[in-house]
Amino acid sequence: MKVGVFMAKSNKKKARQKRIRRISEIIFSILILLSIILFGIVISMKVVPLKFILPVVIAYSVMCVGLGLAILSRKLKLWVKVVIDFFCIILIVFFGFGIYYLNSTLHFMDKIKADNFQLEEYYVLVEKDASYTKIEDLDTKKLAVYQTEEENYQKAIDEIKGKAKIKEEQYSNYIEACKKVLNQQNDAVLISSAYKDIIADEIEDFDKKTKILYTIQMKVENEVNIKEVDVSDEPFNIYISGIDIYGSISLKSRSDVNMILTINPKTHKILMTSIPRDYYVQLHGTTGLRDKLTHAGIYGINMSIQTIQDILDVDINYYVRVNFTTLISLVDAIGGIDVYSDTAFRAYTDASCHYKVGMMHLDGKCALAFARERYAYSTGDRHRVQNQQDVLSAILKKALSSKTLITKYTKILESMGSSFQMNIPSSSIYDLVNKQLDSMPNWTFENYSVNGTDKKAFTYSYAGQELYVMEPDMKTVEEARNKIDAIMEGK
């Protein structure tokens, strides 16, 4: 009887030990699988230098061999195996988070590459109180159109004609065409979304006096000719274009922020060169009237790049395109930024944002208002450029700090989502990060902005009326070229 009881207990103990060993084997197998996936992604991305990866892989492999032997051992005490299982579970959680972070990076890079296009939008506008509710209501009505041979604009007219038998009334500029609708001399007007803000600047309460009856959207690929370089070893220029809209980054619009980042990975120097939005320049490939630099964005990112290359006589290697939503979301994602204000004021674009003299901690909304402010300063747009550089510097310093990268990494990627475009290859970014981790250098920043004189002039994009522009001071343009050349040459 006693022998039978003893045998039963012994069998139960063996069965329990077998179950525990089986569970340990499953946990260990999951750990090995996640390890292979994580190290595979890290090695394939080429972000971390091999001199860091190899010692880790070797040490980890030795540890895994030891853990595996311990798990398979029948002599190890139960509590020791429990400790080993707990340790393996901690590693599984750690590797799981690592895979999640790396996959977030890969997904973000793929999304940026896939979304590398711009949308051209056209609006059919009618008077605010007009009875029209759909495009078909304009059948036999007068549509004011702009005299242009632009292909997409003509396609938009054809689409409208397919829905209503409109009567075209042609005008030499958008302002005149819009005024005819407001004066009820025409029933509707077809305008490009990129021109809508220009018109709103010239016609008081234009947005309040009109409504959008119909929207036409066309997709245009960003065809930009660039000179790729090895960013981990060669100096390069990045054009930062900040467009004046919220929401999707894909929509064509004016480029209110125009900045060149000149980066030398050997000397670890970064130069930020700003060009005011109203700089009076010859748009690339055009003749006759010059235009505001901000209007180059209306014709696409390539026009802005080529025009700036003409101005500064430099090669732009890559571009980054952001908008109001990008800045707000990014600043909020990193927990706000600290900037210095030399003037006390209430923001013109957002009255809820107040600024005092001294260092201030700003959320995304007020960081944007600070970057857009010009009316609070006697130097107007010149001071706004300085604010833009201060905001960008604060974002870079905060976002690149180790604490922020670790705790807010996924939030940073999510914040840029659909409001961020660039054409920098992901492999180049990984190479640059690899180089940074390999040598851990300290980067130095320098700011510069070209200058000019204020005046009124007719522009290429809006020839019907004189607008405020800034006549370039060629001495400052030459100085900008020299500074860029110095960084590129490693001086």
Side-chain angles (χ1 to χ4, degrees):
M1 184 70 177
K2 291 182 179 180
V3 175
V5 173
F6 176 78
M7 290 297 293
K9 288 183 178 179
S10 178
N11 289 336
K12 285 183 179 180
K13 183 178 179 181
K14 288 180 180 179
R16 185 170 66 252
Q17 289 176 338
K18 186 176 181 180
R19 286 197 300 271
I20 292 173
R21 187 167 64 250
R22 181 60 178 161
I23 292 172
S24 298
E25 290 171 354
I26 292 173
I27 292 174
F28 186 67
S29 297
I30 294 173
L31 175 62
I32 295 300
L33 178 61
L34 292 181
S35 304
I36 293 172
I37 293 174
L38 180 64
F39 286 123
I41 294 175
V42 171
I43 293 172
S44 65
M45 288 175 66
K46 299 179 181 179
V47 175
V48 182
L50 282 176
K51 72 177 185 180
F52 294 152
I53 296 177
L54 288 178
V56 172
V57 171
I58 292 172
Y60 181 75
S61 299
V62 172
M63 183 190 73
C64 284
V65 171
L67 289 174
L69 292 174
I71 289 171
L72 294 174
S73 174
R74 296 177 181 273
K75 297 180 180 180
L76 212 62
K77 292 184 178 181
L78 180 60
W79 69 268
V80 177
K81 288 195 174 186
V82 172
V83 171
I84 291 175
D85 288 346
F86 183 70
F87 177 68
C88 289
I89 290 172
I90 291 175
L91 288 178
I92 286 172
V93 173
F94 176 77
F95 287 165
F97 273 109
I99 292 171
Y100 171 72
Y101 272 63
L102 291 175
N103 277 335
S104 296
T105 303
L106 294 173
H107 175 72
F108 176 71
M109 293 299 183
D110 289 341
K111 188 177 187 305
I112 290 175
K113 186 176 181 180
D115 290 349
N116 199 18
F117 64 87
Q118 289 183 251
L119 294 176
E120 191 101 46
E121 277 193 349
Y122 296 92
Y123 304 137
V124 176
L125 298 180
V126 296
E127 192 183 16
K128 184 76 172 180
D129 298 326
S131 60
Y132 311 123
T133 59
K134 56 184 183 298
I135 190 65
E136 288 79 9
D137 292 340
L138 292 181
D139 198 49
T140 72
K141 304 299 182 181
K142 292 181 179 179
L143 177 70
V145 298
Y146 177 50
Q147 291 177 344
T148 178
E149 295 181 0
E150 185 184 345
E151 183 179 359
N152 285 344
Y153 191 84
Q154 296 303 320
K155 287 181 179 179
I157 294 175
D158 291 340
E159 181 172 329
I160 295 169
K161 286 181 177 179
K163 297 180 178 297
K165 297 178 180 178
I166 52 96
K167 298 177 182 177
E168 284 186 56
E169 296 287 334
Q170 294 194 347
Y171 295 89
S172 59
N173 65 72
Y174 274 123
I175 298 294
E176 184 183 1
C178 291
K179 285 181 177 178
K180 293 294 183 181
V181 172
L182 295 177
N183 295 335
Q184 299 182 346
Q185 292 176 272
N186 280 319
D187 300 284
V189 60
L190 174 65
I191 68 169
S192 164
S193 63
Y195 280 89
K196 191 170 184 290
D197 289 334
I198 299 177
I199 298 168
D201 288 343
E202 300 303 317
I203 299 180
E204 187 176 357
D205 295 329
F206 178 71
D207 289 332
K208 295 179 180 179
K209 294 176 181 177
T210 59
K211 64 181 179 181
I212 298 175
L213 182 67
Y214 188 67
T215 300
I216 300 167
Q217 197 173 79
M218 301 178 191
K219 187 175 179 180
V220 181
E221 295 295 330
N222 283 335
E223 297 180 0
V224 180
N225 297 320
I226 61 168
K227 180 183 177 182
E228 288 196 40
V229 298
D230 179 359
V231 298
S232 65
D233 193 56
E234 301 175 60
F236 58 97
N237 290 308
I238 300 176
Y239 168 52
I240 297 181
S241 172
I243 61 174
D244 63 344
I245 60 172
Y246 293 90
S248 173
I249 192 65
S250 301
L251 193 62
K252 275 188 178 182
S253 187
R254 297 180 299 183
S255 182
D256 273 8
V257 176
N258 299 279
M259 191 181 300
I260 308 299
L261 291 187
T262 305
I263 302 172
N264 192 317
K266 286 186 175 180
T267 60
H268 312 119
K269 292 183 179 180
I270 297 177
L271 169 68
M272 291 189 289
T273 305
S274 292
I275 307 176
R277 67 187 295 275
D278 296 314
Y279 229 47
Y280 196 43
V281 299
Q282 192 73 50
L283 298 186
H284 182 80
T286 68
T287 57
L289 289 173
R290 287 182 286 165
D291 208 338
K292 296 186 178 192
L293 178 59
T294 183
H295 290 173
I298 295 172
Y299 307 101
I301 187 70
N302 201 36
M303 174 63 86
S304 296
I305 290 174
Q306 290 178 315
T307 299
I308 290 175
Q309 287 182 148
D310 293 343
I311 299 169
L312 297 178
D313 191 25
V314 298
D315 288 328
I316 293 176
N317 304 101
Y318 307 104
Y319 73 82
V320 172
R321 195 166 178 263
V322 298
N323 63 10
F324 294 159
T325 302
T326 321
L327 191 144
I328 292 174
S329 300
L330 180 55
V331 171
D332 286 340
I334 62 178
I337 57 173
D338 297 314
V339 297
Y340 179 82
S341 175
D342 58 11
T343 305
F345 64 95
R346 183 193 297 266
Y348 175 79
T349 58
D350 191 330
S352 67
C353 293
H354 301 259
Y355 307 89
K356 62 182 180 180
V357 176
M359 291 298 297
M360 292 189 64
H361 185 75
L362 304 179
D363 62 7
K365 180 184 69 170
C366 290
L368 173 63
F370 185 75
R372 297 181 66 192
E373 185 61 43
R374 59 173 168 165
Y375 294 104
Y377 309 108
S378 59
T379 53
D381 197 46
R382 297 165 181 80
H383 204 298
R384 173 165 60 180
V385 168
Q386 176 187 321
N387 286 1
Q388 291 167 356
Q389 292 182 337
D390 290 345
V391 167
L392 179 60
S393 296
I395 290 173
L396 288 174
K397 290 175 183 177
K398 181 76 175 285
L400 293 176
S401 70
S402 57
K403 181 180 178 181
T404 303
L405 281 176
I406 293 172
T407 60
K408 302 186 182 292
Y409 182 72
T410 55
K411 281 189 177 181
I412 292 174
L413 296 186
E414 290 170 1
S415 71
M416 293 187 285
S418 62
S419 58
F420 184 88
Q421 278 184 339
M422 71 176 184
N423 68 337
I424 308 173
S426 56
S427 58
S428 294
I429 295 177
Y430 299 151
D431 287 343
L432 190 59
V433 173
N434 185 295
K435 183 70 174 291
Q436 175 74 12
L437 292 174
D438 188 41
S439 57
M440 297 299 290
N442 291 318
W443 291 81
T444 57
F445 291 78
E446 183 182 354
N447 299 341
Y448 188 73
S449 176
V450 296
N451 208 338
T453 54
D454 304 335
K455 73 174 191 178
K456 290 272 191 175
F458 293 102
T459 61
Y460 175 84
S461 299
Y462 178 47
Q465 185 174 328
E466 289 185 325
L467 303 177
Y468 164 77
V469 298
M470 184 183 291
E471 183 68 39
D473 178 345
M474 296 312 296
K475 288 184 179 179
T476 64
V477 173
E478 185 64 28
E479 179 67 14
R481 290 172 185 159
N482 293 337
K483 285 180 173 292
I484 293 173
D485 288 343
I487 296 294
M488 296 289 285
E489 294 169 5
K491 296 179 181 178

